Amino acid sequence: MPIVNPYVPSYITVHLGTPSSSAQNVTVSFPDYIKNVASSEIYPTWSESAIYANIYAQISFALNRIYLEHYPSQGYTFNITNSTAYDQAFSPGRNIFDNIGRIVDNIFNNYIRRMGYAEPLAAIYCNGTTSTCNGLSQWGSEELANQGYSSINILKYYYGYNIELVQDAPVADLQASYPGYPLQRGSTGDYVVVIQRSLVRIAQNYPSIPNINPIDGVFGESTERAVTVFQEIFNLTADGIVGKSTWYKLVYLYVAVNKLGELESQGQRLFGISLSYPDAISEGNRGEKVYVLQYFLSVLAQFYDFIPFVEITGTFGPQTTEAVIAFQKSEDLPQTGIVNDITWNEIYREFRGIVTTVFDENNTTSRFIPFSGTTLKLGSKGEEVVTLQQYINNISDINPNIAPVAVTGDYNEETMNSVMQYQKEFGLKVTGEVDRATWNSIGGTYLDVVSSKNPQPTQYPGYELKAGQSDSARN
């Protein structure tokens, strides 16, 4: 649920049956688990690049289950099952093939993720003969390997070209997201930020949950009210206190609404919240804007070697200061380590440039125009209104609660009504006017919509494509 740096667990607990069965649980080291899965799922005689690709998928699938606390959030005491109907094969005591064991020892802490996302990819796969899926084909990967494909190109063939390999992820003891104590009125800190951010996102699907404003890490009246309504909806004790049951129901629902356990998930990204300059932030600050800054910097660090890695914690520490100074140096800005309006806007400009280049390489329309500083309202005219109306129409394509508008450049009543619909839908103050917060939220949602409309190419569909053929039939 929180945006954290994923890790590889030292050990993993496997349930030897379907999730609800009364089967035995076994705990094994994570490398031994992957060796067993790989030896159960694939053949040691396959080409090395195919073996690597399959093992990367198996590692990533397991880490996705752990990262999302998939089974603990449902009340189970294990991390994964050995049922191939739900997870992947595991057979206690089975023989491990030598070459697979050596490969796993080298790469057990490497995994796949989508660029710009935090969570390990839910790398779905199937054998490609008796069963097919929207993921990697095991036998198909061997065919690609025989054609000269490398392991990473096999993975990109099946999962899309916006994936990357995270290498040498840290190994740690299995961790639970729940802090170990209840959070309630008066509580403060990062765990409260997690609760607030999760409730705000879940409320988009369950609009009866009251809005929390601001997201500040302080468990006040609005947070308590939102928690209580959440508990009422999901038949929990409605006391406004986030104990273990409420915490893990939040985890479960947050994962569900963002589809983080699916191959084409929405991902743990930060669009849809205000990306405007938050007033100067510096070492010692914490909260939502620090999360956003660290997210921006973590993406930049993947493309610019001079920017050091930044862990996304929501706390502005020395590591974040170092990254900010490195960025300021590259832009010939004063190297203060303090993020003022100029530094914030330059970081955001670089971030958006990367996102639009990587995800919308051939799409010149998917560009976010920064807020000009002038609130748009009834009677406003000009290019900014045209842009706003175009954003609204893209959003309305997938959200029937927001009406499309004519692109006229005139901020008329039709545009005002659609803006009010958007503000209501996304928990903003309903004014009918587009200030900085509304502009940035609409722009961020527009970028999400455009990304979903322009998916990356994935795998061969499994049948020959002929002239005149459409998606609705295989002629």
Side-chain angles (χ1 to χ4, degrees):
M1 182 170 59
I3 295 180
V4 297
N5 189 38
Y7 66 97
V8 174
S10 303
Y11 292 88
I12 184 171
T13 298
V14 188
H15 185 67
L16 303 180
T18 59
S20 58
S21 70
S22 58
Q24 178 186 4
N25 291 344
V26 297
T27 299
V28 297
S29 74
F30 188 77
D32 285 345
Y33 166 75
I34 296 297
K35 291 174 185 178
N36 191 301
V37 169
S39 296
S40 301
E41 292 276 6
I42 59 177
Y43 290 90
T45 54
W46 282 359
S47 303
E48 190 169 88
S49 60
I51 293 175
Y52 268 89
N54 278 270
I55 293 175
Y56 283 132
Q58 293 156 4
I59 293 169
S60 302
F61 183 90
L63 292 181
N64 181 270
R65 285 287 196 248
I66 290 168
Y67 179 75
L68 303 182
E69 295 181 292
H70 179 77
Y71 288 111
S73 69
Q74 300 176 66
Y76 294 113
T77 58
F78 49 84
N79 308 118
I80 200 165
T81 76
N82 75 339
S83 169
T84 54
Y86 294 88
D87 299 307
Q88 45 195 12
F90 175 87
S91 179
R94 70 147 295 133
N95 177 58
I96 305 301
F97 300 116
D98 289 342
N99 61 330
I100 285 179
R102 287 194 299 271
I103 291 173
V104 171
D105 283 335
N106 288 332
I107 66 169
F108 74 91
N109 58 341
N110 300 345
Y111 62 88
I112 316 163
R113 71 177 177 191
R114 296 213 182 278
M115 293 180 180
Y117 290 171
E119 74 275 6
L121 183 70
I124 298 167
Y125 60 87
C126 52
N127 64 25
T129 54
T130 59
S131 66
T132 58
C133 59
N134 185 28
L136 181 142
S137 163
Q138 292 171 320
W139 280 103
S141 68
E142 171 65 358
E143 292 177 7
L144 292 176
N146 289 333
Q147 295 173 33
Y149 279 63
S150 66
S151 60
I152 186 62
N153 284 333
I154 291 172
L155 294 172
K156 289 181 176 180
Y157 181 87
Y158 288 110
Y159 298 126
Y161 290 87
N162 60 339
I163 63 168
E164 61 185 355
L165 279 178
V166 176
Q167 297 181 317
D168 298 323
V171 178
D173 292 338
L174 199 62
Q175 303 167 21
S177 63
Y178 179 61
Y181 53 86
L183 296 154
Q184 56 192 310
R185 179 82 79 95
S187 298
T188 60
D190 292 342
Y191 288 115
V192 178
V193 172
V194 169
I195 293 168
Q196 292 172 327
R197 294 183 67 250
S198 301
L199 285 168
V200 167
R201 175 61 187 91
I202 293 167
Q204 294 179 25
N205 294 70
Y206 297 87
S208 61
I209 297 174
N211 185 40
I212 298 174
N213 188 26
I215 296 174
D216 55 5
V218 177
F219 201 125
E221 181 181 355
S222 65
T223 302
E224 184 180 60
R225 187 167 60 252
V227 169
T228 302
V229 173
F230 175 85
Q231 291 169 327
E232 290 172 348
I233 293 172
F234 296 103
N235 298 316
L236 300 165
T237 302
D239 55 8
I241 298 172
V242 180
K244 189 173 183 179
S245 296
T246 298
W247 178 276
Y248 279 113
K249 181 60 76 171
L250 281 168
V251 171
Y252 183 77
L253 265 295
Y254 182 85
V255 168
V257 297
N258 280 315
K259 301 180 180 179
L260 299 179
E262 300 179 19
L263 188 58
E264 296 298 336
S265 75
Q266 293 181 22
Q268 294 237 44
R269 52 188 170 183
L270 300 175
F271 301 142
I273 65 172
S274 174
L275 302 179
S276 61
Y277 171 60
D279 295 330
I281 52 176
S282 58
E283 193 164 323
N285 289 146
R286 60 175 58 201
E288 186 74 17
K289 285 300 181 182
V290 179
Y291 276 110
V292 177
L293 171 66
Q294 291 171 330
Y295 176 73
F296 290 166
L297 290 170
S298 70
V299 173
L300 296 184
Q302 296 180 50
F303 292 85
Y304 301 124
D305 291 339
F306 57 83
I307 297 179
F309 169 78
V310 176
E311 186 176 1
I312 303 172
T313 63
T315 300
F316 199 130
Q319 185 186 59
T320 305
T321 301
E322 182 184 358
V324 169
I325 290 174
F327 178 84
Q328 289 171 328
K329 181 179 180 181
S330 72
E331 297 291 322
D332 292 325
L333 298 172
Q335 296 168 40
T336 62
I338 298 171
V339 181
N340 60 9
D341 57 343
I342 295 174
T343 297
W344 177 275
N345 290 333
E346 285 301 307
I347 289 174
Y348 180 68
R349 180 183 61 79
E350 289 288 339
F351 166 80
R352 272 269 42 100
I354 288 172
V355 171
T356 53
T357 299
V358 171
F359 294 105
D360 303 299
E361 185 174 343
N362 299 312
N363 186 354
T364 59
T365 64
S366 56
R367 298 292 185 268
F368 173 71
I369 309 300
F371 182 65
S372 68
T374 301
T375 297
L376 301 177
K377 53 189 174 182
L378 198 61
S380 297
K381 299 179 183 294
E383 288 300 318
E384 288 176 327
V385 179
V386 169
T387 299
L388 171 67
Q389 291 167 332
Q390 291 170 338
Y391 287 175
I392 288 172
N393 287 341
N394 274 272
I395 295 168
S396 72
D397 285 345
I398 65 166
N399 192 322
N401 295 324
I402 299 169
V405 298
V407 181
T408 62
D410 293 328
Y411 198 112
N412 49 25
E413 289 190 3
E414 180 185 46
T415 302
M416 181 182 71
N417 289 335
S418 290
V419 167
M420 293 173 69
Q421 291 166 352
Y422 179 91
Q423 290 170 327
K424 182 179 180 181
E425 186 81 2
F426 285 84
L428 300 168
K429 187 176 180 180
V430 182
T431 63
E433 298 182 356
V434 180
D435 58 5
R436 186 183 296 274
T438 297
W439 178 273
N440 285 329
S441 180
I442 289 174
T445 303
Y446 160 76
L447 287 171
D448 282 348
V449 170
V450 169
S451 294
S452 70
K453 286 180 177 178
N454 294 280
Q456 297 293 328
T458 54
Q459 69 189 85
Y460 174 64
Y463 53 89
E464 185 177 351
L465 301 175
K466 302 176 182 179
Q469 188 166 333
S470 68
D471 286 338
S472 59
R474 298 182 185 182
N475 296 324

